[in-house]
Amino acid sequence: MAPAQRCPLCRQTFFCGRGHVYSRKHQRQLKEALERLLPQVEAARKAIRAAQVERYVPEHERCCWCLCCGCEVREHLSHGNLTVLYGGLLEHLASPEHKKATNKFWWENKAEVQMKEKFLVTPQDYARFKKSMVKGLDSYEEKEDKVIKEMAAQIREVEQSRQEVVRSVLEPQAVPDPEEGSSAPRSWKGMNSQVASSLQQPSNLDLPPAPELDWMETGPSLTFIGHQDIPGVGNIHSALIFFSGATPPWMIQDEEYIAGNQEIGPSYEEFLKEKEKQKLKKLPPDRVGANFDHSSRTSAGWLPSFGRVWNNGRRWQSRHQFKTEAAAMKKQSHTEKS
């Protein structure tokens, strides 16, 4: 029985030896894998005669999988801010290592011999690609120079128009010659002055004269109480204080102002105590030490002794309290049974 072997194309283990590569499944998988790689190889072979140079973008870091070598290959060749399309793939296809791996792959998988030449690039073709790459770099530099010149021309044109606008604003306006007479066109300034003077002249319409109002006349509806001028008043605040009769705040002494202020609400210490009480209310009421008597006095050298949990007094006293309570409960239980 033939040893177990693993086919990377079919992704399965077979035991038929070399007969697996002649099976329909293996040949179908081989043909599909080569057809997936063939469009990229054909696009790279077209770039041999006319290499394309473009500005670098992150998409040019894309890689493709070489089926013959079993490794990833950079599709484009980048240097600085320039990228030669399909330069990396052509360099790999023309390498001796790829040629050796391709011969081995074709022999092991029994692929069609006619398709083998499509996945190889001869040294002559690669030398032709290098020459076209030099021409592509030159044409790219010419295009970049042309674009730079066009941008410079646009910048000069914008700068020239800006200078003309500034010059027209800074130049003095031309004064019309009075000797030209009425034949010369009138300026807007003269026309505006004439219109203003005509508006100021009284019209020839017979309008009734406006009555003159005497504000000092006394009548049944108005009463003059005199001018309410307050000497030394500078703003509305002082006027309001004057009419209300109150002492302005800037005239109050610091001691009087502090003495007049009364505290509103609880003090800070009372607030902290109340806050602590609110925290204690959230705790369970039957917890250990909830009813502890904090008013009991103990010496600094006192140490706890045997006993139960206590709320006041000494801990050793709790033992006697426990015995007393236990005897009382025992006596009560006997009386209930009897």
Side-chain angles (χ1 to χ4, degrees):
M1 183 176 180
Q5 296 181 4
R6 177 73 178 177
C7 179
L9 291 176
C10 302
R11 298 180 181 179
Q12 70 177 10
T13 303
F14 58 93
F15 300 91
C16 57
R18 294 286 299 170
H20 171 74
V21 296
Y22 297 99
S23 63
R24 292 182 179 179
K25 182 179 180 180
H26 180 80
Q27 292 296 323
R28 184 175 64 253
Q29 295 289 342
L30 177 62
K31 186 177 181 181
E32 291 177 358
L34 294 176
E35 288 179 353
R36 284 196 298 268
L37 183 62
L38 188 60
Q40 296 177 345
V41 176
E42 290 180 351
R45 295 182 70 88
K46 290 180 181 179
I48 294 176
R49 298 181 179 178
Q52 296 181 3
V53 181
E54 295 182 358
R55 185 178 293 274
Y56 171 79
V57 293
E59 295 179 357
H60 292 159
E61 297 291 338
R62 184 175 54 191
C63 296
C64 60
W65 181 261
C66 181
L67 190 63
C68 302
C69 301
C71 62
E72 283 189 344
V73 181
R74 288 190 59 179
E75 190 171 352
H76 308 293
L77 185 62
S78 301
H79 180 73
N81 60 344
L82 299 179
T83 300
V84 181
L85 299 183
Y86 300 104
L89 183 56
L90 287 174
E91 183 180 5
H92 175 75
L93 295 178
S95 62
E97 293 82 6
H98 174 74
K99 184 177 181 180
K100 184 178 179 180
T102 303
N103 294 331
K104 182 180 178 181
F105 180 82
W106 246 256
W107 172 257
E108 291 179 351
N109 294 277
K110 304 302 178 182
E112 296 181 5
V113 183
Q114 294 79 6
M115 295 184 63
K116 182 178 177 180
E117 299 298 329
K118 296 181 180 180
F119 292 89
L120 294 175
V121 175
T122 60
Q124 294 78 10
D125 292 339
Y126 189 66
R128 194 180 304 118
F129 169 72
K130 288 183 178 179
K131 293 180 181 179
S132 64
M133 182 174 60
V134 173
K135 294 180 181 179
L137 289 172
D138 295 338
S139 62
Y140 177 80
E141 291 178 357
E142 291 178 0
K143 290 180 181 179
E144 287 292 321
D145 294 341
K146 186 177 180 181
V147 171
I148 292 173
K149 290 179 181 179
E150 291 178 356
M151 294 176 62
Q154 292 179 0
I155 293 172
R156 284 194 296 268
E157 185 178 354
V158 172
E159 182 66 20
Q160 185 178 359
S161 62
R162 188 184 67 83
Q163 292 179 0
E164 290 178 358
V165 172
V166 173
R167 193 181 302 109
S168 63
V169 173
L170 296 179
E171 288 181 355
Q173 299 291 336
V175 180
D177 191 0
E179 297 179 357
E180 293 180 358
S182 60
S183 61
R186 297 182 180 181
S187 62
W188 285 101
K189 187 175 181 181
M191 294 175 66
N192 292 335
S193 61
Q194 291 181 5
V195 172
S197 61
S198 63
L199 291 175
Q200 293 177 0
Q201 294 178 359
S203 60
N204 297 328
L205 299 176
D206 295 334
L207 297 176
E212 297 181 359
L213 299 177
D214 190 0
W215 296 102
M216 298 302 293
E217 289 183 357
T218 58
S221 60
L222 297 176
T223 303
F224 180 71
I225 61 175
H227 298 286
Q228 299 296 323
D229 294 336
I230 303 173
V233 177
N235 51 33
I236 186 63
H237 304 287
S238 56
L240 293 174
I241 292 169
F242 176 82
F243 286 112
S244 62
T247 305
W250 56 84
M251 298 295 293
I252 301 175
Q253 298 295 331
D254 295 341
E255 293 79 4
E256 297 178 1
Y257 185 75
I258 295 172
N261 288 341
Q262 296 181 358
E263 292 185 0
I264 301 175
S267 62
Y268 183 68
E269 290 77 8
E270 294 177 354
F271 169 74
L272 292 179
K273 291 180 181 179
E274 185 65 24
K275 188 176 180 181
E276 191 67 25
K277 289 181 180 179
Q278 295 296 332
K279 288 183 179 179
L280 293 176
K281 285 182 179 180
K282 298 179 181 179
L283 298 176
D286 299 334
R287 68 186 185 279
V288 176
N291 300 323
F292 180 74
D293 187 9
H294 294 273
S295 61
S296 62
R297 297 181 180 179
T298 55
S299 61
W302 171 80
L303 292 175
S305 180
F306 172 79
R308 63 174 181 178
V309 178
W310 75 106
N311 290 327
N312 54 8
R314 304 296 185 270
R315 186 175 182 181
W316 62 269
Q317 296 176 355
S318 64
R319 178 172 51 183
H320 303 287
Q321 295 174 3
F322 175 77
K323 290 180 179 180
T324 305
E325 292 176 0
M329 291 176 63
K330 188 175 182 180
K331 183 178 181 180
Q332 185 179 0
S333 63
H334 284 299
T335 55
E336 290 178 356
K337 289 180 180 179
S338 59

